[in-house]
Amino acid sequence: MRLFAGVLPPPSVAAELGRAVDQLEDLPGASALKWTGRPGWHLTLAFYGEVRQEPADPVPELIRRLALAARRTPPFTPALRGAGVFGGRSLWADVAGDTGARARARARDEVVAALALGGGG
């Protein structure tokens, strides 16, 4: 199974992103693309890729470890800063502002370390 860890943007950031995407959806050729529903928008903290489910399902322990990392991370307020495309099909937006970089880096280390439990790859 393919897994990633992410957080949902606050409503104000989702609204700002939505205004930008509304403009992109009007560009020539945009109607041929598959657009993700806005409830699926997220800020990816770590992409695990394929994670083995055997001999044991790693998801419950991964969720426990991610919850612990979340409790240790102070809140931060992201703002949009730039965008791009990868894989020829996915749009991304960069974040800036009060991102709590040090706390996010520590939490990301914990999130990535949680993968070792699941035997990813």
Side-chain angles (χ1 to χ4, degrees), residues 64-75:
R64 186 190 72 76
R65 289 183 180 210
L66 293 174
L68 181 61
R71 285 193 299 273
R72 293 178 179 170
T73 305

Side-chain angles (χ1 to χ4, degrees), residues 57-112:
D57 182 1
V59 173
E61 181 62 13
L62 184 58
I63 289 171
R64 186 190 72 76
R65 289 183 180 210
L66 293 174
L68 181 61
R71 285 193 299 273
R72 293 178 179 170
T73 305
F76 57 93
T77 305
L80 298 179
R81 180 192 70 188
V85 176
F86 67 89
R89 63 184 177 90
S90 297
L91 298 175
W92 58 266
D94 196 10
V95 294
D98 176 20
T99 59
R102 188 174 300 150
R104 281 186 55 227
R106 184 181 69 239
R108 186 179 189 287
D109 289 345
E110 290 184 38
V111 167
V112 171

Side-chain angles (χ1 to χ4, degrees), residues 6 9 18 23-24 28-29 32 41 43 45 52-53 55 58 68 91 98 105 112 119:
Q23 294 175 8
L24 295 175
W41 293 352
L43 173 62
L45 298 175
R52 293 187 302 271
Q53 291 180 272
L68 181 61
L91 298 175
D98 176 20
V112 171

Side-chain angles (χ1 to χ4, degrees), residues 27-51:
L27 293 175
S31 62
L33 300 174
K34 179 181 176 188
W35 294 87
T36 303
R38 293 178 187 204
W41 293 352
H42 61 276
L43 173 62
T44 300
L45 298 175
F47 180 71
Y48 300 132
E50 287 294 326
V51 176

